[in-house]
Amino acid sequence: MTSLTSTPYDALRIGQEATITRLCRAEDLIVFSHASGSLNPLHLPNHDGDGDGRVEALAPAAWIAALIAGVVGNHLPGPGTVYRSESLRFVGQAQAGDSLHTKVRVAQKLAGHAVRLAVSVEGPAGRVAEGEVEVSAPALRHRFDDLSVPGLVVQSHRHFDALIARAEDLPALPVIVICPESADAVMGAVQARDHGLIAPLFVGAPDKIAAAAAEAGVDIAEIEIVAVPDHRAAALRAVALIHEGRGRALMKGHLHTDEMLHAILKKEGGLRTNRRLTHVFVMDVPGQDQLLFVTDAAINIAPDLGCKVSIVQNAIDLAVSLGVARPKVGILSAVETVTTAIPSTLDAAILAKMAERGQITGGDVDGPLAMDNAVDPGAARAKGLTGLVAGRADILVAPNLEAGNMIAKELSFLAHAEAAGVVMGAQVPVILTSRADSVRARLASCAVAVILAAPARCG
């Protein structure tokens, strides 16, 4: 909430000044583009507008002029001021990431409550704009308390963009793609190849793969295909190719997940470890300052306590690999108090104690936590919850698959999040994508696998 007070015409003095400092953010350029209808790529983040090989992300002149309107309307003369005219000269440039200092000074008082204001905008490299504005100042002093406008969330996914860029700097990961026999499955693998993320090898029915590639309109002429028409046999052959050193990760194509998991979990010739296989959604939620991890939402239907230990440890290991120094893990339930009537609260309390005693390592674990007080500091304070995790969770551990799946899909379809998917607990990363995934989500899933596999490849 904001409180504003105007300075009436009679109280204005020559030389009186007001200044604000505002950071130009990439999101501001996107909001301005929507409001104005201008799609000039010079003024859009992540675009090269003039073909020189650099992203300009220049602040539009009209956006800079709007900063002046902000000072005039909020501070000098303030609420109730009406614009009459504006004359500006744009003598420099500003771009996303620059802090801009906007100054308004009373230069002349005219008849009829008119006021001429000298204005200027300064950036890191010097003056950006200068000129004058003529306004009608309010006749009376006005005060407005608790002013607010609805918030805006820009549907940008900068965390995934950074993740993909990081993976693109690493060598392409050899990936065995199992049965890419649908347009979306083959498209995901080819897109990741074209971004330099993976070097795919296809296993499946060649005629079906060729038909899928034709439908998707992609070229797979340079991709090797190991012909195995049966899905279950294709999954077994893909796992064998991992053991033969032909791949360092698996990618699910157009086959049932249980057919793939059967091959991975075979006692002889599979890819088992001492961990349970668990699925983690890596989510880029607009408006959030960091990636959010949701687990398990795809493999373990009703995990017992032993399985939840693997779920938590796998998620911590993944988050650490992706750059979270010490992940904060919230064990979710319907309430934040331990009660015997809700078994998931008992599991949550035990998991938190196990982490405290070093049986789960690498992160801070707390629970039970309800969804609100796991992710919102205000909700956590309202419930009297303290500690490192409450209100700040990086990882959300659902009590069962149904709850985890609902959380992930609600974030995707209501909060406009993008979700990458990976299976942890096998000897190699397992990439899971969905038909509903965007291009960015598919690339992010592959990027996660590339970064996960990097230490083993270097070692």
Side-chain angles (χ1 to χ4, degrees):
M1 298 293 185
T2 302
S3 295
L4 300 178
T5 302
S6 62
T7 303
Y9 176 84
D10 291 342
L12 290 170
R13 298 292 179 263
I14 304 300
Q16 189 173 351
E17 293 183 348
T19 303
I20 64 167
T21 298
R22 167 71 182 269
L23 175 67
C24 178
R25 304 171 302 164
E27 290 86 349
D28 293 323
L29 307 187
I30 296 170
V31 170
F32 178 84
S33 177
H34 278 277
S36 67
S38 172
L39 298 178
N40 185 346
L42 280 170
H43 304 308
L44 295 176
N46 303 322
H47 284 74
D48 174 12
D50 58 10
D52 65 354
R54 296 183 301 106
V55 173
E56 289 80 24
L58 297 177
W63 183 84
I64 294 170
L67 298 180
I68 298 168
V71 183
V72 172
N74 290 352
H75 303 288
L76 188 68
T81 301
V82 177
Y83 258 66
R84 286 186 171 183
S85 65
E86 182 177 59
S87 175
L88 297 177
R89 296 174 298 279
F90 295 94
V91 295
Q93 292 180 331
Q95 59 188 152
D98 288 349
S99 287
L100 301 177
H101 309 282
T102 304
K103 179 186 290 186
V104 170
R105 177 175 56 84
V106 177
Q108 187 179 6
K109 296 178 70 174
L110 307 170
H113 292 120
V115 180
R116 186 168 291 129
L117 305 169
V119 298
S120 65
V121 180
E122 302 280 343
R127 182 155 293 188
V128 177
E130 60 188 14
E132 62 181 34
V133 174
E134 187 173 313
V135 301
S136 291
L140 302 174
R141 186 179 303 276
H142 302 291
R143 180 178 175 84
F144 298 88
D145 293 317
D146 299 329
L147 286 172
S148 65
V149 295
L152 297 176
V153 175
V154 176
Q155 294 180 32
S156 64
H157 296 95
R158 56 191 174 91
H159 304 304
F160 272 9
D161 292 340
L163 197 67
I164 294 165
R166 176 181 167 190
E168 287 175 338
D169 287 337
L170 297 170
L173 178 66
V175 174
I176 312 300
V177 186
I178 310 172
C179 302
E181 298 168 357
S182 65
D184 60 279
V186 74
M187 175 71 81
V190 171
Q191 288 168 337
R193 178 202 64 180
D194 292 345
H195 277 260
L197 297 174
I198 70 171
L201 186 158
F202 291 168
V203 180
D207 56 338
K208 293 180 181 178
I209 295 173
E215 181 183 348
V218 296
D219 180 11
I220 61 170
E222 296 183 1
I223 299 177
E224 180 183 353
I225 299 176
V226 176
V228 185
D230 177 73
H231 282 187
R232 188 173 289 266
L236 292 170
R237 182 66 185 125
V239 170
L241 288 167
I242 294 290
H243 287 295
E244 293 170 15
R246 300 291 306 279
R248 302 302 297 264
L250 293 175
M251 184 173 185
K252 177 181 175 290
H254 190 63
L255 78 163
H256 290 299
T257 301
D258 60 351
E259 292 176 314
M260 181 182 69
L261 296 181
H262 171 77
I264 294 172
L265 292 172
K266 280 180 64 69
K267 291 185 178 180
E268 298 295 331
L271 296 171
R272 283 174 174 265
T273 67
N274 61 353
R275 300 266 184 90
R276 292 285 292 269
L277 293 188
T278 67
H279 179 270
V280 186
F281 274 122
V282 183
M283 309 202 73
D284 189 342
V285 185
Q288 294 297 306
D289 292 333
Q290 68 283 320
L291 291 168
L292 184 67
F293 301 80
V294 178
T295 186
D296 182 336
I299 291 182
N300 295 285
I301 298 172
D304 59 16
L305 180 62
C307 182
K308 287 182 179 180
V309 173
S310 286
I311 289 173
V312 173
Q313 190 66 68
N314 285 343
I316 290 174
D317 292 349
L318 174 59
V320 169
S321 294
L322 298 186
V324 184
R326 188 167 182 85
K328 302 176 184 65
V329 184
I331 313 296
L332 298 182
S333 185
V335 295
E336 64 282 344
T337 54
V338 179
T339 171
T340 56
I342 306 178
S344 62
T345 66
L346 303 178
D347 285 351
I350 295 169
L351 291 166
K353 178 58 72 173
M354 291 177 74
E356 182 181 316
R357 295 187 173 185
Q359 293 172 267
I360 298 172
T361 60
D364 299 305
V365 182
D366 195 8
L369 294 172
M371 181 68 179
D372 56 346
N373 48 58
V375 298
D376 184 80
R381 286 193 299 270
K383 293 294 181 71
L385 298 175
T386 59
L388 296 173
V389 178
R392 300 176 178 84
D394 303 300
I395 299 170
L396 302 177
V397 179
N400 53 47
L401 181 145
E402 294 167 300
N405 196 271
M406 291 177 192
I407 292 169
K409 288 182 177 175
E410 285 163 358
L411 288 170
S412 294
F413 291 96
L414 296 179
H416 309 292
E418 293 272 24
V422 65
V423 175
M424 300 286 292
Q427 294 176 26
V428 297
V430 181
I431 304 163
L432 291 186
T433 58
S434 166
R435 284 173 293 179
D437 285 346
S438 69
V439 173
R440 185 188 282 108
R442 294 174 192 274
L443 295 176
S445 293
C446 293
V448 169
V450 172
I451 295 168
L452 267 174
R457 296 165 74 193
C458 294

